[in-house]
């Protein structure tokens, strides 16, 4: 069992905020990349006939 | 072979596509490993469990400053040599840097409340970090506000030069001003100040993880920017007929 003592709320809040922010930037980066790749493929398909 | 060859978007896409999976695997292993290892460390005799926050706070703060320095270097390359990939890399890095700065500020505030008895103090290092965050936000906003990408790269490059003063201040504020609450370097090697190995090794791993995570996100986001630039060029060509 992990011991956090009287600062359990403090530690969990710090980890929670950090994980949320990191997950957010990872999701944003991956989703934007997928969107750009699909848009470019569609446009190249149209341009090349 | 010269490093400038990778300023060619086609070569950059080929190389980054090949190394990206390895960087992603390394980033996941080291970040998760370092943070989980840090979470499992024993309680500190003074700080109790709040010592576990150091495994997020220090790597995030380190990256917040280093990402701005990386943006400074790539902005200078753009301003001097006009390589588009370097300008796009600076643009791609900024949101990651802003998130790292926000994590450092948030975890610092959460740690400070029980340890200092205050969420925030106008301490030199805290204040310079807040200003660095505002520079990140301004930099991102400036890129969005200017339609012509070359003009945007020029102006954000100049903003990056100005903001570098605060990036350096964030790093050395504790040394410049012998006042404020923030302690000195967490990884000091001075006798009697060295962090115990129990905390030091997970911190090293976490720092490596955050560095690799930034590299992975930088490659992904720069590839996104290159694709958007190519898409815009093809659409412009189509409109011209």
């Amino acid at each position: 069992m992990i011991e956090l003592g009287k600062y359990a709320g403090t530690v969990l809040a710090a980890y929670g905020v950090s994980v949320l922010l990191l997950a957010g930037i990872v999701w944003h980066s991956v989703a934007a990349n997928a969107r750009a790749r699909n848009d470019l493929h569609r446009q190249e398909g149209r341009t090349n006939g | 072979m010269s490093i400038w060859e990778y300023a060619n978007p086609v070569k950059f896409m080929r190389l980054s596509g090949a190394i990206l999976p390895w960087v992603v695997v390394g980033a996941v292993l080291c970040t998760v490993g370092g943070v989980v290892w840090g979470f499992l460390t024993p309680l500190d005799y003074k700080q109790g469990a709040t010592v576990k926050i150091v495994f997020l706070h220090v790597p995030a703060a380190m990256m917040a400053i280093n990402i701005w320095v990386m943006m400074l270097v790539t902005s200078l390359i753009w301003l001097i040599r006009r390589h588009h990939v370097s300008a796009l890399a600076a643009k791609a890095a900024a949101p990651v840097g802003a998130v790292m700065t926000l994590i450092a500020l948030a975890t610092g505030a959460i740690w400070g409340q029980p340890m200092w008895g205050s969420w925030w103090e106008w301490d030199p290092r805290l204040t310079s970090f807040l200003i660095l965050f505002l520079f990140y936000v301004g930099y991102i906003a400036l890129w969005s506000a200017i339609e012509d990408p070359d003009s945007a790269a020029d102006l954000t490059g100049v903003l990056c030069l100005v903001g570098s003063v605060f990036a350096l201040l964030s790093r050395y504020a504790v040394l410049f001003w012998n006042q404020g609450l923030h302690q000195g370097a967490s990884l000091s090697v001075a006798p009697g100040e060295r962090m115990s190995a129990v905390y030091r090794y997970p911190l090293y791993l976490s720092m490596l993880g955050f560095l690799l995570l930034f590299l992975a996100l930088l490659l992904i986001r720069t590839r996104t920017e290159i694709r958007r630039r190519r898409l815009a060029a093809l659409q412009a060509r189509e409109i011209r007929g």
Side-chain angles (χ1 to χ4, degrees):
Chain A
M1 187 64 189
I2 302 157
E3 195 191 348
L4 296 175
K6 61 178 177 175
Y7 297 122
T10 303
V11 176
L12 292 176
Y15 273 72
V17 167
S18 303
V19 168
L20 271 180
L21 286 169
L22 288 177
I25 189 72
V26 168
W27 177 83
H28 181 265
S29 305
V30 172
N33 188 48
R35 206 164 40 240
R37 191 175 50 221
N38 291 340
D39 290 349
L40 183 58
H41 278 163
R42 245 195 321 273
Q43 183 66 38
E44 281 176 338
R46 224 177 15 235
T47 307
N48 299 330
Chain B
M1 195 172 78
S2 157
I3 192 173
W4 303 117
E5 284 183 31
Y6 296 102
N8 177 318
V10 176
K11 283 194 175 166
F12 177 86
M13 290 296 277
R14 200 179 305 140
L15 178 72
S16 61
I19 64 170
L20 185 58
W22 300 101
V23 180
V24 169
V25 170
V28 171
L29 287 178
C30 294
T31 307
V32 174
V35 170
V36 170
W37 187 5
F39 194 76
L40 297 174
T41 52
L43 305 188
D44 179 64
Y45 78 101
K46 243 190 214 173
Q47 300 183 39
T50 61
V51 71
K52 297 170 195 287
I53 296 173
V54 81
F55 307 104
L56 296 163
H57 179 75
V58 170
M62 174 191 82
M63 290 316 301
I65 298 169
N66 290 343
I67 290 171
W68 193 276
V69 173
M70 171 258 155
M71 286 164 56
L72 169 67
V73 172
T74 49
S75 296
L76 282 173
I77 292 171
W78 161 255
L79 291 171
I80 296 165
R81 297 190 65 123
R82 314 302 283 179
H83 289 313
H84 284 96
V85 172
S86 64
L88 295 178
K91 182 186 181 186
V96 188
V99 166
M100 293 294 179
T101 315
L102 202 53
I103 290 174
L105 286 169
T107 53
I110 293 168
W111 178 90
Q113 207 286 325
M115 291 297 113
W116 292 345
S118 168
W119 295 98
W120 180 262
E121 287 294 321
W122 293 103
D123 164 281
R125 183 172 273 188
L126 272 67
T127 307
S128 55
F129 244 85
L130 178 63
I131 296 171
L132 180 63
F133 176 68
L134 296 176
F135 262 98
Y136 270 120
V137 174
Y139 181 92
I140 295 165
L142 193 55
W143 262 108
S144 308
I146 301 168
E147 206 169 319
D148 176 50
D150 284 3
S151 303
D154 286 341
L155 291 172
T156 52
V158 173
L159 180 67
C160 193
L161 294 181
V162 179
S164 300
V165 174
F166 289 94
L168 287 174
L169 273 182
S170 307
R171 175 69 185 83
Y172 296 106
V174 175
L175 304 177
F176 290 158
W177 294 287
N178 282 328
Q179 58 182 32
L181 281 171
H182 202 288
Q183 66 272 31
S186 297
L187 288 169
S188 171
V189 289
E193 286 183 21
R194 194 159 198 205
M195 184 185 266
S196 161
V198 174
Y199 302 115
R200 199 167 64 241
Y201 293 126
L203 182 55
Y204 286 151
L205 187 61
S206 189
M207 287 164 77
L208 178 62
F210 272 59
L211 175 64
L212 290 173
L213 180 63
F214 164 64
L215 273 180
L217 291 173
L218 177 68
L219 290 177
I220 292 170
R221 297 182 73 91
T222 307
R223 288 167 66 81
T224 305
E225 293 299 332
I226 289 172
R227 284 182 170 129
R228 282 181 181 157
R229 188 68 72 95
R230 167 106 178 116
L231 176 66
L234 287 177
Q235 285 171 337
R237 199 185 301 168
E238 191 179 62
I239 290 167
R240 280 199 305 268

